[in-house]
C-alpha cells in the first residue's frame, strides 16, 4: 500500500487529504494517508470563536459562491444544507474619503452621481479606453497599472483600498498578473478595461438571446457564503470525516528527508513516517524550513514570498448606542486619510447569528504590508485607535461592551513583483523531486476558494504519481 503524508491541518491540508482519499477510492487505488498538524486545534487560520453570544472570525469569514469547487466540496461532505448566504444588503460597500462614507457605485449613473471621485478624476477614468495597451515584458505593479490606466485618484481611492482589503497589501509592490490575473488578461485581450466590459456585455446579451446559459448577476465577485455556526464548520466537518486514523493533531513535522526503501521520510517531534509522496500544505516560510535538507534552492525561493501582519479587533455594541445605518458590508479606508485601521466590516449585517439580539458586531483590521509595526501595539492602544477611527468614520462615541483582539504576525502571503517567476522556478525545481507537492494559499490565490482549488490540484497530482 502506498503512503502519502500531508503536513499542515488548515483548510488546504484537510481538503487535500479528503479529496485525495476520495479520488483514490474512485480510482481503486489502495492508499494510506496521514495528516500531521503541530497544533491540537485543526483549521489553521479558520477559527470561529463564540463568546457571550457573539461569533468572531479569527481569520476569513467565508467564501464567494462564484466558483464551484468549494460549493461542490460542501455538497459532497453533506454540508450544503448548513450554508448561509450573506444578506442582500452586503452588496453595499463603502469607502471613507473626504470625511464621509461614500457608497461604491454599482453602475454608470451611480458613478456619475458619486462624490467619491472628483470630476477631474472621473474625466481621467473616462480616458481609459484611449490609454495604450501595456507592451512591456516586466511584471507590472498594481500601482503602476492603476496610474497608467485609471489615474492617481482612482488608484488611491479605489485600487489601493481594495488591495489592502483583500491582501492587506501595498499596491506599490504587488504584482498585477499574480494578484488579479483576469484583469491583466482583459487588457491583453481587449486593449482596455472599459472596452472589455462593453464587449463582454454584448456577448452576454447575445448568449441570452441565443438561449445559452448565463451566470446570474450575483455581483462582481459572487455572494459571500459561510455557515450559521461560522466558517470553521467546514474544517470541523472535514476533520470529522477524516477521523483520527488520518489526522495526527499535536504532532509537528520537523523536516523532510530522502527515504531509503521509499522515496521520502518525514521526521516529526514524535517519530518518523516513510512516504511515497509528501504534500506540504503549510505557509511558504514553514515549507522552506522543512525542505532545507532536500533542496536549498526550493527553500530559498519559498522564503522570498513575504507575509503581511494583521491585527483584528472585534467590537460588540448595543444596537441602540449606534446612530448609524449599518445596512451594508462595511468600508475600507484609503491610506491618504491617515487613520489607523484599514477598514471595518459590519459582521452582524453581513450574516445573521453573529451577535446577540439587539446587539451588533463590528470587525476592524489594522496593519498590513503598509503598517507592519502595528502588530506590536498593546491591546489598550489597539482599542483606542479603533475607537478613534469608528468615531471619525461612523460617529460612534459609545464604548464597546465586547472586545476581542486577534494578532496574526504572518497573516497573508504577498504576491509581490516577480511572484510569477518564483512559481516557475519552484515548478522547475520540484520536477527533480517526484512525490513532493506544494499546496496552499502561498502560490496561486489567497482565498478559501483558491485553497480548495489548489487542494484539488495537489490531490490529482499525487494520485497520478502513486498510480
Amino acid at each position: 500500500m502506498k503512503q502519502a503524508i500531508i503536513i499542515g491541518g488548515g483548510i488546504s491540508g484537510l481538503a487535500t487529504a479528503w479529496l485525495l482519499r476520495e479520488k483514490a477510492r474512485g480510482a481503486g487505488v489502495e492508499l494510506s494517508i496521514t495528516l500531521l498538524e503541530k497544533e491540537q486545534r485543526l483549521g489553521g487560520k479558520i477559527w470561529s470563536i463564540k463568546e457571550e453570544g457573539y461569533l468572531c472570525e479569527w481569520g476569513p469569514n467565508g467564501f464567494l459562491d462564484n466558483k464551484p469547487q468549494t460549493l461542490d466540496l460542501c455538497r459532497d461532505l453533506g454540508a450544503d444544507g448548513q450554508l448561509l448566504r450573506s444578506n442582500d444588503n452586503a452588496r453595499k460597500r463603502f469607502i471613507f474619503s473626504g470625511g464621509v462614507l461614500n457608497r461604491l457605485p454599482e453602475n454608470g449613473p451611480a458613478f456619475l452621481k458619486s462624490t467619491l471621485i472628483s470630476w477631474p478624476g472621473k474625466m481621467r477614468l473616462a480616458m481609459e479606453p484611449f490609454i495604450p495597451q501595456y507592451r512591456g515584458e516586466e511584471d507590472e505593479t498594481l500601482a503602476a497599472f492603476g496610474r497608467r490606466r485609471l489615474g492617481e485618484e482612482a488608484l488611491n481611492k479605489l485600487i489601493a483600498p481594495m488591495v489592502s482589503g483583500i491582501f492587506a497589501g501595498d499596491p506599490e509592490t504587488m504584482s498585477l498578473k499574480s494578484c488579479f490575473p483576469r484583469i491583466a488578461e482583459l487588457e491583453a485581450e481587449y486593449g482596455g478595461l472599459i472596452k472589455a466590459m462593453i464587449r463582454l456585455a454584448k456577448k452576454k446579451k447575445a448568449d441570452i438571446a441565443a438561449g445559452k446559459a448565463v451566470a446570474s448577476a450575483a455581483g462582481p465577485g459572487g455572494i459571500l457564503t459561510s455557515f450559521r455556526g461560522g466558517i470553521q464548520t467546514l474544517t470541523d466537518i472535514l476533520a470529522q470525516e477524516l477521523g483520527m486514523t488520518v489526522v495526527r493533531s499535536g504532532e509537528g513535522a520537523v523536516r523532510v528527508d530522502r527515504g531509503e526503501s521509499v522515496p521520502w521520510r518525514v521526521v516529526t517531534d514524535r517519530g518518523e513516517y516513510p512516504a511515497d509522496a509528501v504534500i506540504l500544505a503549510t505557509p511558504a516560510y514553514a515549507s522552506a524550513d522543512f525542505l532545507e535538507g532536500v533542496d536549498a534552492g526550493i527553500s530559498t525561493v519559498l522564503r522570498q514570498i513575504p507575509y503581511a501582519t494583521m491585527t483584528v479587533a472585534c467590537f460588540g455594541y448595543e444596537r441602540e448606542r449606534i446612530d448609524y445605518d449599518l445596512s451594508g458590508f462595511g468600508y475600507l479606508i484609503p491610506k491618504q486619510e491617515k487613520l489607523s485601521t484599514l477598514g471595518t466590516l459590519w459582521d452582524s449585517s453581513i450574516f445573521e447569528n453573529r451577535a446577540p439580539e439587539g446587539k451588533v458586531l463590528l470587525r476592524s483590521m489594522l496593519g498590513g504590508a503598509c503598517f507592519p509595526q502595528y502588530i506590536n501595539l498593546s491591546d489598550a492602544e489597539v482599542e483606542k485607535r479603533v475607537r478613534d477611527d469608528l468615531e471619525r468614520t461612523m460617529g460612534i462615541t459609545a464604548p464597546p461592551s465586547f472586545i476581542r483582539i486577534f494578532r496574526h504576525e504572518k497573516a497573508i502571503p504577498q504576491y509581490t513583483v516577480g511572484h510569477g517567476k518564483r512559481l516557475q522556478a519552484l515548478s522547475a525545481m520540484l520536477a527533480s523531486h517526484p512525490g513532493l507537492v506544494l499546496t496552499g494559499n502561498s502560490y496561486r490565490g489567497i482565498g478559501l476558494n483558491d485553497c480548495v482549488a489548489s487542494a484539488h490540484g495537489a490531490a490529482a497530482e499525487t494520485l497520478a504519481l502513486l498510480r
Side-chain angles (χ1 to χ4, degrees), residues 347-385:
D347 274 10
S348 53
S349 297
I350 300 171
F351 292 114
E352 61 183 57
N353 196 42
R354 268 34 180 184
E357 186 70 25
K359 299 185 179 181
V360 298
L361 178 65
L362 309 180
R363 188 160 56 120
S364 301
M365 280 69 67
L366 303 86
C370 292
F371 306 99
Q373 69 276 15
Y374 285 3
I375 195 70
N376 299 315
L377 296 176
S378 67
D379 283 2
E381 183 64 21
V382 169
E383 179 183 348
K384 180 183 184 304
R385 287 175 180 246

Side-chain angles (χ1 to χ4, degrees), residues 51 147 182 246 255 296 353 376 390 458:
E51 295 183 15
R147 289 190 184 96
R182 181 56 180 155
V246 172
R255 67 179 185 274
N353 196 42
N376 299 315
L390 290 176

Side-chain angles (χ1 to χ4, degrees), residues 58-308:
W58 192 72
N61 64 345
F63 62 92
L64 296 171
D65 70 350
N66 59 336
K67 296 180 181 179
Q69 287 178 312
T70 306
L71 289 174
D72 291 345
L73 176 63
C74 293
R75 182 200 63 221
D76 294 341
L77 288 166
D80 50 336
Q82 302 180 51
L83 289 173
L84 179 67
R85 259 73 178 189
S86 59
N87 297 319
D88 191 58
N89 280 334
R91 293 173 181 270
K92 294 188 288 187
R93 303 175 184 226
F94 300 83
I95 298 290
F96 180 76
S97 178
V100 297
L101 291 179
N102 300 267
R103 183 175 174 180
L104 279 172
E106 298 179 0
N107 52 48
F111 174 75
L112 290 175
K113 293 178 182 179
S114 172
T115 58
L116 174 60
I117 303 294
S118 68
W119 277 106
K122 291 174 183 175
M123 294 299 293
R124 174 62 180 83
L125 275 167
M127 295 298 295
E128 192 272 339
F130 306 101
I131 301 298
Q133 185 175 339
Y134 182 65
R135 302 290 185 181
E137 295 294 327
E138 294 299 316
D139 196 1
E140 190 176 25
T141 68
L142 285 165
F145 170 83
R147 289 190 184 96
R148 178 173 59 81
R149 293 222 67 89
L150 306 174
E152 190 76 26
E153 188 176 359
L155 167 64
N156 292 335
K157 293 183 179 180
L158 298 175
I159 295 177
M162 177 181 65
V163 173
S164 70
I166 297 173
F167 291 92
D170 182 354
E172 301 290 349
T173 64
M174 303 292 277
S175 162
L176 170 68
K177 289 183 178 178
S178 295
C179 294
F180 300 107
R182 181 56 180 155
I183 292 179
E185 291 169 0
L186 289 175
E187 181 182 18
E189 184 174 353
Y190 298 101
L193 303 185
I194 294 178
K195 291 177 181 177
M197 290 170 60
I198 294 172
R199 293 276 297 278
L200 291 173
K202 288 181 178 178
K203 182 179 184 301
K204 180 178 179 180
K205 187 175 181 179
D207 286 344
I208 293 174
K212 296 181 180 179
V214 177
S216 61
I223 298 173
L224 187 65
T225 303
S226 183
F227 296 83
R228 182 171 177 80
I231 194 62
Q232 184 182 324
T233 301
L234 178 56
T235 50
D236 284 349
I237 292 174
L238 281 166
Q240 183 178 0
E241 287 288 317
L242 291 168
M244 295 180 63
T245 57
V246 172
V247 177
R248 304 280 197 275
S249 60
E251 183 170 0
V254 176
R255 67 179 185 274
V256 177
D257 293 332
R258 286 288 187 181
E260 296 178 359
S261 58
V262 292
W264 300 100
R265 181 176 66 126
V266 177
V267 179
T268 76
D269 50 16
R270 295 186 185 179
E272 59 182 57
Y273 295 83
D276 296 281
V278 176
I279 304 170
L280 287 94
T282 44
Y285 56 86
S287 298
D289 292 342
F290 296 141
L291 297 177
E292 189 66 53
V294 172
D295 192 322
I298 292 178
S299 295
T300 297
V301 174
L302 288 172
R303 291 192 180 104
Q304 292 171 2
I305 301 174
Y307 278 67

Side-chain angles (χ1 to χ4, degrees), residues 1-61:
M1 180 182 289
K2 299 289 187 179
Q3 172 72 40
I5 303 295
I6 298 170
I7 303 175
I11 180 61
S12 296
L14 291 168
T16 299
W18 191 85
L19 290 165
L20 179 57
R21 188 179 69 178
E22 296 305 299
K23 291 177 187 290
R25 287 174 175 174
V29 176
E30 291 190 14
L31 177 62
S32 174
I33 301 171
T34 300
L35 184 149
L36 303 170
E37 168 53 50
K38 66 177 181 178
E39 305 292 342
Q40 289 292 342
R41 185 188 68 83
L42 297 168
K45 289 188 172 67
I46 290 181
W47 190 5
S48 305
I49 300 172
K50 302 167 187 176
E51 295 183 15
E52 300 181 24
Y54 292 96
L55 196 161
C56 303
E57 296 289 7
W58 192 72
N61 64 345

